[in-house]
Amino acid sequence: MKGREYYLDWIRVLATFGVFLFHCLMFFNPFPWHVKNNILDTSSILILSLFLGIWLMPLFFVISGISSALALKKRSVSSFLKDRLLRIGVPLILGIFLLSPPQVYIERVSNGAFNGTFIDFFPLYFNGVYLDFGQSGNFAFHGLHLWYLLVLLVFSLWTALLIKVLPPSITFRPVYLALLPLLMFMSGMTTTVALGGWDILFYLIVFTAGYYFFSSEDFMHALAKTVKIWIPAAVISTVLVITWFMVSPPVSGSLAGGIYFLVRTLSCFSIMCCIFFFGKKYLSSSNKLLKYGGEASLPFYILHQPVIVIIGYFIKDLSWALPVKLIFLILMSFAVIWVIYHQLIRRFNILRFLFGMKTVTNSKPAVKTAV
C-alpha cells in the first residue's frame, strides 16, 4: 500500500464505537455480563447484539494484522515489539489494576456475592483468578474487556516468529478468497479459549489473514471484482444465523452446531469483505473528525466498559422504560468518556503514555494510533 490508507483509520474508529454500542446493549440483553438491567430484552436488542457479535472483534484483529504488516515495512522486528509492549502492555496493566477492580466489585455486589464497600472489596480482588462471569475468582489478569490487548501482544510475538519462517509477504491469488473462510471454519474443530464470541484460534487466523492478505492491493482488487458475491452472502448468512439462534440455538458439538458455525463464519467473513470494500470506496479521505477520532480510539476503547458498567449499576433498578434507559446509558457513557479523554488524557503526557498514546512535545496532538 502506498501512502496512508485513511479508510483503515475510519474502520478502526467506527469499530471502536461499535464495541461501545455492543457493551451498552450487553446491559440489556440476556447474555451474562457484569451488571444487568432489571428488565432484559430478547427481541430487537438481542438481534442487534447478535449481529455486532458476528464481526466486530474479528474485524479488530484483521485491522491489527494489517497494521502489523504496515509497521514492519518501516521498522525492525525489535522496534516493532518494543512499541507494542509499551503502547499495548502499559494500558493493559492500567486496566488490570485500576479499571478492572470496580467492574468485578459491581459484578459481585449485583449477584449478591459480596456485601460491602469497594474499599472493603479491593484486597479481595487478588483472591483467585477471574475467568468468566459468575465464577469465584476476582483477579482479572486479562483486564476483562482488555483481553483484546493481551491477545494482541501474544499475536505480535507470533508475527515476529512468522516472518522468520515465512516470507514477509505472500503473493495473493484469487482462490484465497474461498480458502480463507474455509480455514476460519476449520478452526472450529478445535476449542481452546473462547473470547468475545469466537475462539482465540479463529482470531489468530483472521489476524494472520489481515497481515498477509487484507494488507495486499491484489486482495483489494480481487475483493472489488467479487463484491457482488459477498453482499448477498453477507445478507443471507447473517439473517439465517440470527434467525436460527432466535428460534432455537444449536447445541455446540452437534451436527446442527457445526452447520451453524459454518454459516456464522461465512457471515463474519462476508461482512468484513463488504466493510473493507465500501470503506476503501467511500472513506479514503481524512478530515478533522478522523484525526481526532483516530487518536482517541484506543483511550476510548480502554475506558468504555468501566464507564458503562458503573453507570449501568446506578440505573439498573430505576423504573424507566427500556428505550429511555438505553438512550441515557449511551449518551451519558459517551459524554463521560469524552470528557475524561478530552479534558485529561490528551492534555497530559503521563496519561497519554498510560493510555497507549504517543507523547507530544507541543500542543499539537499526535495522530498515528494504529494498534
Side-chain angles (χ1 to χ4, degrees):
M1 292 182 177
K2 297 180 180 180
R4 187 164 185 87
E5 296 285 1
Y6 292 113
Y7 78 95
L8 296 176
D9 297 325
W10 277 114
I11 291 174
R12 184 184 300 107
V13 170
L14 294 173
T16 301
F17 181 78
V19 170
F20 164 78
L21 178 60
F22 177 80
H23 283 135
C24 287
L25 298 177
M26 285 295 294
F27 179 65
F28 299 97
N29 68 33
F31 298 126
W33 205 48
H34 306 290
V35 61
K36 305 297 291 188
N37 189 40
N38 55 359
I39 298 177
L40 302 180
D41 178 90
T42 56
S43 55
S44 56
I45 287 180
L46 176 56
I47 290 173
L48 183 54
S49 299
L50 291 171
F51 171 68
L52 293 174
I54 291 173
W55 53 271
L56 257 179
M57 291 314 300
L59 181 65
F60 269 104
F61 280 104
V62 171
I63 288 287
S64 296
I66 296 172
S67 298
S68 298
L70 297 177
L72 284 166
K73 289 180 179 179
K74 302 176 182 178
R75 62 179 62 181
S76 66
V77 172
S78 60
S79 174
F80 168 76
L81 291 178
K82 180 181 178 181
D83 180 72
R84 284 298 172 94
L85 187 61
L86 289 176
R87 297 191 57 232
I88 299 177
V90 171
L92 177 60
I93 294 173
L94 175 74
I96 293 171
F97 292 101
L98 184 62
L99 302 180
S100 295
Q103 298 179 78
V104 178
Y105 167 72
I106 287 174
E107 179 181 335
R108 299 293 178 251
V109 171
S110 298
N111 295 338
F114 182 80
N115 184 20
T117 66
F118 176 69
I119 295 176
D120 297 329
F121 171 80
F122 188 76
L124 303 178
Y125 174 68
F126 301 94
N127 291 353
V129 176
Y130 186 105
L131 295 176
D132 206 350
F133 305 114
Q135 297 187 9
S136 58
N138 292 330
F139 182 62
F141 70 95
H142 42 66
L144 298 178
H145 68 296
L146 300 183
W147 63 263
Y148 162 66
L149 300 184
L150 176 60
V151 174
L152 189 54
L153 274 176
V154 175
F155 285 2
S156 296
L157 295 174
W158 157 260
T159 302
L161 175 64
L162 197 65
I163 63 176
K164 294 291 185 181
V165 178
L166 296 177
S169 61
I170 296 176
T171 302
F172 176 78
R173 302 183 188 283
V175 69
Y176 294 162
L177 276 172
L179 292 179
L180 279 176
L182 179 61
L183 188 61
M184 292 160 62
F185 166 70
M186 291 175 62
S187 72
M189 297 180 181
T190 302
T191 301
T192 56
V193 179
L195 294 166
W198 296 96
D199 191 87
I200 193 172
L201 181 59
F202 185 93
Y203 292 131
L204 179 59
I205 291 172
V206 297
F207 173 86
T208 307
Y211 182 90
Y212 277 115
F213 302 128
F214 280 82
S215 61
S216 165
E217 285 291 350
D218 291 336
F219 181 92
M220 297 306 297
H221 291 323
L223 193 58
K225 293 179 180 178
T226 58
V227 69
K228 292 182 179 179
I229 297 174
W230 301 117
I231 293 174
V235 173
I236 295 171
S237 60
T238 302
V239 170
L240 179 58
V241 75
I242 292 176
T243 303
W244 192 341
F245 186 93
M246 296 292 290
V247 173
S248 179
V251 178
S252 178
S254 65
L255 176 61
I259 298 173
Y260 178 85
F261 184 79
L262 173 63
V263 178
R264 190 167 185 256
T265 299
L266 177 61
S267 173
C268 175
F269 184 76
S270 301
I271 290 174
M272 289 196 299
C273 286
C274 293
I275 289 172
F276 277 94
F277 171 77
F278 288 108
K280 188 173 180 63
K281 185 174 182 179
Y282 296 109
L283 299 174
S284 289
S285 60
S286 181
N287 56 30
K288 292 183 179 179
L289 178 62
L290 178 61
K291 292 178 181 178
Y292 185 90
E295 186 177 40
S297 59
L298 183 55
F300 191 96
Y301 182 89
I302 294 168
L303 283 174
H304 82 278
Q305 182 169 292
V307 172
I308 294 170
V309 169
I310 292 171
I311 294 176
Y313 175 73
F314 286 106
I315 68 171
K316 65 185 180 69
D317 294 321
L318 298 179
S319 59
W320 299 350
L322 192 148
V324 174
K325 266 191 185 179
L326 175 60
I327 294 172
F328 177 85
L329 182 62
I330 292 173
L331 295 180
M332 181 59 68
S333 299
F334 190 92
V336 169
I337 297 166
W338 179 79
V339 169
I340 294 173
Y341 168 74
H342 188 79
Q343 299 297 337
L344 293 174
I345 296 174
R346 70 191 292 266
R347 294 177 182 271
F348 300 97
N349 272 337
I350 181 62
L351 293 178
R352 294 178 70 93
F353 173 74
L354 291 174
F355 281 86
M357 300 172 66
K358 293 183 181 296
T359 57
V360 294
T361 56
N362 52 52
S363 60
K364 185 178 181 179
V367 175
K368 200 172 180 179
T369 59
V371 296

